[in-house]
Amino acid sequence: MLEIDAVFAGYGRVPVLHGVSLRAAPGEMVTLVGANGAGKSTLLKVAAGVLAPQSGRVLLAGEDVTRVPSHRRVGTGIVLVPEGRMLFAGMSVAENLTLGAYLRTGAAARRAVESDRERVFDLFPVLADRLEQPAGTLSGGEQQMLAIGRALMADPKVLLLDEPSLGLAPKVIGEIFSVLDRLRGSGLTMVLVEQDARLALKHADRGYVMRTGEVVLEGSSAELLANDDVRLIYLGAWHGTE
Amino acid sequence: MEASELLQLVIAGLKNGSIYALLALGFTIVYAATNVINFAQGEFYMLGGMLAVFAFSGLNVPLVAAVALAVVTVAGIGALFERLAIRPRKDADPMALIIITVGGSLVFASVARHLFGSDALPLPEFTPGPSFVFAGAAIERQTIWIWVIVTATVIGLTLLYNRTRLGRAMRACMENREAARLMGIDTARVVMVSFALAAALGALAGVAVTPLTSTRFDIGAGIAVKGFAAAILGGLGSPLAAVAGGLLLGLIEQAVIPFSSVLKDVVALAVLLLVLFVRPQGLFRRTRKEKV
């Protein structure tokens, strides 16, 4: 579904990604793990069109979308839940959701948008209770739920999630990941960037381990969870059995 | 002072304040979309009056049509100004863009001088006739028009922002431009529309006030200071606060007049400095608490 092919990218003259490739098959949940500054978020930005790569390609269902700017990339079906949520804090929950479906106009889309809204409320019932509340007044967990809900309103083919667990209590993280499991069950393709590698690999089908702008390891979640290097470096196994 | 004199000052304050409010709205709308203070805003006011005079006296177009023509043309000039002068440098720091707007305002004023001359040019009142007298105070008919225009503008903007897709996109850009792009909003287009809208509001103010004061090529800079002060007073955030800032500035000016009429024009600058020193977020803006 999503294919990233030998991408080189960076900010200004600072290179961050050195030929990174990644693929996510339809319905697959893929995770990117690695230390801070490994280039995980940068890769998502390239996928979402926020950052143009110096070279390499981004393909969606075989179609080259590398040069499609971010505000049109949404229309192709690649939708990013950005790090830090980036909600419209002064606007209501309802308006945030409506903006998520900004590009879906016309009479035909209206019914689909309405049913997607119901689906978001089904996934995150708390949002239905907070409709008129400004997004900035929600709790951190609710904000993350709204950020995911808003992205779902765009009817994504591929959902990119950047650190959805950041700064949240374990109980809330559990709620959010159980929703991600449901989305995966419904056949949505997802790419998840997570600091907490154990959490991410527990929920994803496959994983990529990144270090200083390169993919150093890839495999099924089970393989990676069992890999000694991964255990030692990214799962903090030295605290347990050594 | 008698009550009727006081009322007369209040009426004058609300009349001038309404004009400042329209200018302040222009500053606020452009700032919200770009973080740039557009100092050419006063020239849109000047051009509005000039073009209305030109259409009415030069082309013999009926007054209503001349007013509409002026406002629409200036909106187009605003969009063009954004496209040609601002967008090519949109990644420059806001200071560079602000300087560009200052340069733009000089260009507009000097082109207007060449096209329309350096004389003060009059426009008839929208509905000529004697002033209304209310509790001993006189209200010119044109003043009523100015109030009608401001009220209609506020209602129109409220509907635009809350009921339309474009308005929602504009608010989204005010809140978070990067997130707006992630929603699929073409933020460059929103910026252009913002300039056009701000220019139209400036022109509307200029057209509405020309029957009272006449217009000249060099009035833009002076009114820009007033409008800017009003916008700062309102906090450069919410459009309603901009209107409140404008009306308040108009009233403060009138409050100074009984003591010294020469001080009237200093008021805007004094208010501007005072607000920037004491309450830079404006009078009405609450510091928003956000949970993380």
Side-chain angles (χ1 to χ4, degrees):
Chain A
M1 180 58 84
L2 179 71
E3 200 174 329
I4 292 170
D5 186 22
V7 159
F8 286 78
Y11 304 97
R13 289 213 206 127
V14 185
V16 177
L17 299 177
H18 310 282
V20 177
S21 296
L22 170 151
R23 53 172 55 235
E28 197 180 29
M29 179 166 171
V30 169
T31 186
L32 283 165
V33 298
N36 247 337
K40 309 185 300 283
S41 295
T42 305
L43 188 58
L44 281 199
K45 283 183 185 162
V46 170
V50 177
L51 183 69
Q54 280 132 24
S55 67
R57 295 190 309 162
V58 179
L59 302 164
L60 178 71
E63 203 173 316
D64 192 335
V65 295
T66 317
R67 298 289 154 211
V68 179
S70 65
H71 69 267
R72 296 220 193 87
R73 190 81 59 110
V74 186
T76 70
I78 302 180
V79 180
L80 173 67
V81 181
E83 188 177 358
R85 301 152 200 151
M86 288 201 198
L87 295 173
F88 303 107
M91 300 171 82
S92 70
V93 168
E95 285 180 305
N96 272 272
L97 292 175
T98 304
L99 279 164
Y102 180 77
L103 291 181
R104 301 170 72 190
T105 54
R110 191 174 304 158
R111 189 168 299 173
V113 168
E114 196 42 53
S115 88
D116 281 347
R117 184 191 290 268
E118 291 308 318
R119 178 151 170 267
V120 168
F121 294 151
D122 178 46
L123 292 168
F124 302 113
V126 66
L127 296 182
D129 303 332
R130 302 259 192 277
L131 273 184
E132 296 310 317
Q133 209 169 308
T137 65
L138 299 179
S139 74
E142 290 163 352
Q143 290 193 13
Q144 189 61 56
M145 293 173 190
L146 179 54
I148 295 171
R150 186 180 65 175
L152 291 174
M153 292 300 291
D155 190 23
K157 293 193 180 94
V158 177
L159 188 64
L160 311 171
L161 296 132
D162 199 349
E163 302 266 11
S165 76
L166 200 69
L168 300 181
K171 179 169 168 289
V172 181
I173 295 174
E175 281 174 44
I176 283 170
F177 272 79
S178 78
V179 168
L180 297 185
D181 286 341
R182 280 176 71 185
L183 291 172
R184 180 179 154 214
S186 74
L188 180 62
T189 309
M190 285 182 280
V191 179
L192 167 71
V193 159
E194 234 333 308
Q195 198 86 257
D196 184 342
R198 187 189 302 275
L199 176 73
L201 290 170
K202 232 169 64 190
H203 291 269
D205 297 292
R206 284 191 308 117
Y208 292 79
V209 179
M210 287 187 70
R211 187 156 58 205
T212 56
E214 281 171 280
V215 170
V216 290
L217 206 60
E218 62 172 285
S220 74
S221 296
E223 283 166 15
L224 292 178
L225 279 167
N227 181 292
D228 283 343
D229 290 341
V230 175
R231 284 165 62 89
L232 191 63
I233 300 169
Y234 300 104
L235 301 180
W238 59 86
H239 293 307
T241 54
E242 274 180 71
Chain B
M1 190 191 298
E2 283 178 40
S4 61
E5 283 177 57
L6 186 65
L7 186 61
Q8 195 69 61
L9 288 180
V10 170
I11 289 166
L14 292 179
K15 176 189 72 182
N16 293 341
S18 297
I19 298 299
Y20 305 157
L22 288 172
L23 269 291
L25 276 171
F27 278 105
T28 303
I29 288 167
V30 166
Y31 183 80
T34 60
N35 287 343
V36 166
I37 302 291
N38 173 26
F39 281 107
Q41 186 63 34
E43 309 310 323
F44 298 143
Y45 169 92
M46 178 274 292
L47 286 173
M50 281 292 188
L51 290 173
V53 170
F54 174 71
F56 180 74
S57 309
L59 305 178
N60 291 319
V61 171
L63 187 56
V64 187
V67 167
L69 199 65
V71 171
V72 171
T73 308
V74 174
I77 292 173
L80 211 60
F81 178 58
E82 188 278 330
R83 186 67 193 80
L84 297 179
I86 303 293
R87 194 179 304 182
R89 295 299 313 276
K90 71 177 174 6
D91 294 324
D93 78 298
M95 202 44 170
L97 295 173
I98 289 168
I99 303 285
I100 288 176
T101 70
V102 172
S105 88
L106 297 174
V107 171
F108 285 131
S110 116
V111 169
R113 181 185 188 151
H114 284 286
L115 290 180
F116 307 115
S118 55
D119 295 331
L121 302 173
L123 195 68
E125 289 196 33
F126 292 0
T127 47
S131 301
F132 299 103
V133 177
F134 175 75
I139 309 177
E140 292 153 304
R141 284 168 185 247
Q142 193 64 22
T143 302
I144 306 277
W145 273 111
I146 290 171
W147 289 339
V148 167
I149 286 171
V150 167
T151 311
T153 300
V154 168
I155 294 171
L157 282 180
T158 307
L159 291 177
L160 172 72
Y161 280 130
N162 293 314
R163 296 285 166 80
T164 70
R165 184 166 174 268
L166 172 66
R168 210 175 287 120
M170 292 175 74
R171 281 167 59 215
C173 287
M174 289 181 205
E175 292 256 351
N176 189 329
R177 220 163 305 152
E178 204 180 333
R181 248 193 309 271
L182 289 176
M183 302 298 109
I185 294 169
D186 185 347
T187 49
R189 217 193 79 203
V190 168
V191 169
M192 196 175 196
V193 169
S194 301
F195 266 86
L197 184 58
L201 293 179
L204 206 52
V207 170
V209 92
T210 301
L212 296 176
T213 61
S214 72
T215 186
R216 239 168 68 144
F217 75 96
D218 61 354
I219 58 168
I223 199 74
V225 171
K226 306 275 177 91
F228 180 51
I232 292 289
L233 200 55
L236 277 175
S238 124
L240 276 182
V243 172
L247 295 177
L248 194 59
L249 180 63
L251 289 172
I252 296 172
E253 277 187 351
Q254 295 301 317
V256 172
I257 284 186
F259 306 103
S260 160
S261 57
V262 275
L263 277 181
K264 178 177 170 258
D265 287 328
V266 183
V267 168
L269 285 171
V271 164
L272 182 57
L273 290 177
L274 197 66
V275 172
L276 288 177
F277 281 134
V278 179
R279 210 179 147 76
Q281 73 273 36
L283 290 189
F284 310 106
R285 176 113 46 120
R286 284 162 298 178
T287 37
R288 187 190 289 148
K289 276 190 223 129
E290 273 176 47
K291 292 184 191 169
V292 183

